[in-house]
Amino acid sequence: QVQLVESGGGLVQAGGSLRLSCAASGRTFSRYGMAWFRQAPGKERDIVAAIRSGGSTYYADSVKGRFTISRNNAKNTVYLQMNSLKPEDTAVYYCTARSGGSSYYTVESYDYWGQGTQVTVSS
C-alpha cells in the first residue's frame, strides 16, 4: 500500500551535514507515524528518530541535539536533517511508516520500509 523512497545520502566529513528525504506514495500519509532507522555493518537496525501523525518527535540519545526529523504532509515527505555528523553515524538509513499507534520504536512495530540510503562520515 505504501511505497517509501529515500534520498540524500552520501559521503561527508565529520562535522558536516546532510538532509535525508523520504517520499511516500501511500494514501492518508498525514495519519502515518514515520521514522528513520539506521544499520551499520554487523549491527542491529536501530531507531534514529520518529515523528507521530500529531507531530511529536522522538530521538535516540546518540543523535539528540544533532538530528531533526520533520514532515511535510502536503508533499507526503519526511526529512531527517543531520548536523555535526560523526564517523559513528555511518550506516544505511531507512525510512519507515506505520498506520497504527505504538509505544515502541522497534523494527517490528513498523509496517513499511524504504530501500535505504547510505550515509558515510569520514574522519
Side-chain angles (χ1 to χ4, degrees):
Q1 291 183 350
V2 177
Q3 294 183 356
L4 304 171
V5 180
E6 303 99 331
S7 63
L11 175 65
V12 65
Q13 290 192 149
S17 298
L18 286 173
R19 188 178 78 159
L20 305 184
S21 298
C22 175
S25 64
R27 297 169 56 197
T28 63
F29 170 81
S30 64
R31 297 294 186 92
Y32 281 71
M34 306 294 296
W36 291 93
F37 283 68
R38 67 185 181 187
Q39 187 168 27
K43 305 294 184 180
E44 294 184 337
R45 188 176 300 187
D46 291 326
I47 184 71
V48 176
I51 185 165
R52 296 177 181 269
S53 60
S56 63
T57 58
Y58 168 86
Y59 296 95
D61 288 342
S62 59
V63 307
K64 191 172 298 182
R66 299 188 297 121
F67 291 10
T68 302
I69 189 170
S70 62
R71 65 193 298 161
N72 187 328
N73 290 336
K75 296 183 177 180
N76 278 23
T77 303
V78 63
Y79 306 94
L80 184 68
Q81 178 66 47
M82 304 185 294
N83 298 326
S84 302
L85 283 162
K86 304 174 181 179
E88 50 262 46
D89 295 319
T90 295
V92 176
Y93 284 70
Y94 297 90
C95 179
T96 187
R98 62 189 179 193
S99 59
S102 176
S103 298
Y104 303 97
Y105 297 110
T106 61
V107 168
E108 293 78 11
S109 70
Y110 285 87
D111 302 311
Y112 309 102
W113 294 84
Q115 81 289 345
T117 185
Q118 177 71 47
V119 172
T120 302
V121 184
S122 64
S123 60

